[in-house]
Each structure stands twice: as structure tokens, then as C-alpha cells.
Amino acid sequence: MIADTGLAALWLAAALALVQVASGARPVAVAQAVIAAIATIALLASAPDFTLFLAAALLLLALFAMYRRSRWSRRSPTANVGLSVAAGGALLLAIGAICDRVFIVQTAAVAKPGDRLRVGPWLVQFVTVNPVAGSDYTAIEAELRASRGSGVSVLNPQARTMITPPGQSIEPAFETLWNGRLTTLFDDRRQVQLRWQPFLPLIWLGGAMIALGALIVLIGQSVRQWRRRPPPRGRYG
């Protein structure tokens, strides 16, 4: 999940880099591009923690550049609102990433139909295994029933055997709520893996706030430049 978080943060940082280019802060955008390239290499090299660190640096660099260029924003309430929203989003994303790493709950077991596993507030029952087939794969699919005390969610993770190209893959199944996400995995050894991430929505909310703040700043600056443009001259002016 740290890799996913780092990749999401890289996309957000790229969006903020575009804002910097649009606002004229091209040196900052170049620095962001260099760090993003290093972070992408780190992600491909399976170094998710380092990727997340570099992605956080990208976000902070973008926010710092927005702050340094915000002298004009003293006369622009829209820009102040955008900067505040983006800064709050960066804080939420950082808190969510840290808490996601610290408070994640995981369990795994080689289970058989009828077994029950507990992960966080969830009680998950392994019901059965069914063979399934797709256009380019065959798979064994587990039927899991997850409950938090009221209501039951049916999840169907798969262990797939790919035909073209040949290989093995695992297709997880998710139950996403406003206060967290349950991830279930099933492999060809009949091993069930469960993961509960109670703070994951903070990362999504923080990312959305950063993107929204950057958009507000860009709109505010565009409106300000439009208002400051000289009035059109007459035909004979």
C-alpha cells in the first residue's frame, strides 16, 4: 500500500508541477521533474518507502513554491483559500500515510471452507472455493463473507492462471467504507490473506484536498490576470 500511496502522491505532485509552470515558476517545476524521475525509479526498484519520502518532498516543494509566489494572494482571497485547502490536504495525506503504516492490521492462514478469521473489527468466514474462467485465464475463486456485526459483505478474491502470456496472478477483492478498506487475497495454496486499513481514507481525502487547493489557486490567478488585462482599444484608438 505504501507503493500505491507513493504513486498517488507522484500524480498529485505532477499536477502541482503543472500549476507551477502555468504560474511561471518553471525552475520549481524542473526541480519537481527531477525528483519525480528519481522517485519513479525508486518505485520501479521496489523501494516504496523511499518513493513515499520523495513524493512527500515533491508535495512540500510545490506548496512552498505556492507560498513564495503568494505575495499577490494578499489581495486575492481565492488564492488564500486555495493555499489553505492544499496545505490542509498535505497534512491529512501525511497523517494518513503514517497512520496507514502504523495501524494497518493483517492476518493470513491456510484455510478450509468453514474457517473464520478475524482482522481488526471484521470477522471473515471462508465459505467455499469455485473454479472460474475468463477470456485469457482460469482461476480458483474464494467466497468470503465479512461482517462487522451488522450486515454481510461477500468478497471473491481469485488466484488466476494466465493463458497469454502464461503466468500466475492474484486478483484481490475489496470492501471500501468511509472509515477504511478491507483487502482480501487468495492464492493457489488456499492461503487467505486479510488486510484492514482504517486510515486509508485520510490519504484519499488529503490528495483530493491538494488537487482542489491547486485548482482554486490556479483559478484565482487566472481570474486576477484576466481582470488586470488592459481594456480593448477602439478601431481608430
Side-chain angles (χ1 to χ4, degrees):
M1 286 299 107
I2 294 298
D4 294 341
T5 303
L7 185 59
L10 284 176
W11 279 104
L12 291 171
L16 290 177
L18 293 177
V19 172
Q20 302 305 321
V21 172
S23 62
R26 289 178 177 82
V28 173
V30 171
Q32 287 177 317
V34 172
I35 299 177
I38 298 174
T40 303
I41 294 173
L43 186 63
L44 295 176
S46 300
D49 291 333
F50 188 53
T51 302
L52 183 58
F53 171 76
L54 291 176
L58 280 171
L59 296 175
L60 292 177
L61 179 61
L63 291 174
F64 176 73
M66 296 167 88
Y67 173 78
R68 288 293 301 271
R69 292 183 55 82
S70 65
R71 294 179 181 177
W72 55 269
S73 69
R74 297 173 184 175
R75 300 185 296 273
S76 177
T78 303
N80 287 330
V81 171
L83 288 170
S84 300
V85 171
L91 180 61
L92 272 182
L93 190 147
I95 293 175
I98 294 172
C99 292
D100 181 66
R101 187 64 182 270
V102 174
F103 295 103
I104 185 173
V105 182
Q106 302 182 79
T107 187
V110 177
K112 59 182 183 299
D115 288 352
R116 296 183 178 184
L117 302 174
R118 181 172 293 276
V119 57
W122 292 91
L123 180 62
V124 180
Q125 182 179 8
F126 185 9
V127 179
T128 188
V129 176
N130 299 307
V132 296
S135 58
D136 60 348
Y137 69 89
T138 60
I140 52 174
E141 180 182 86
E143 179 181 335
L144 307 177
R145 296 185 180 181
S147 175
R148 300 178 64 182
S150 60
V152 176
S153 300
V154 179
L155 303 169
N156 300 106
Q158 297 178 352
R160 294 182 176 181
T161 300
M162 309 303 297
I163 300 174
T164 52
Q168 304 288 329
S169 68
I170 294 177
E171 186 70 19
F174 304 99
E175 178 68 15
T176 303
L177 304 174
W178 68 270
N179 60 342
R181 183 171 74 177
L182 173 66
T183 303
T184 62
L185 302 101
F186 182 70
D187 61 26
D188 54 2
R189 298 174 299 172
R190 306 294 178 97
Q191 181 176 354
V192 177
Q193 301 179 47
L194 307 175
R195 182 187 303 125
W196 170 241
Q197 298 168 272
F199 289 93
L200 190 62
L202 287 182
I203 299 177
W204 301 333
L205 179 59
M209 289 177 63
I210 291 174
L212 177 62
L215 180 62
I216 292 174
V217 171
L218 185 59
I219 291 175
Q221 185 174 7
S222 299
V223 171
R224 180 177 175 80
Q225 291 177 348
W226 180 79
R227 289 178 176 176
R228 294 178 61 182
R229 65 179 181 175
R233 296 182 179 181
R235 177 176 300 180
Y236 304 102

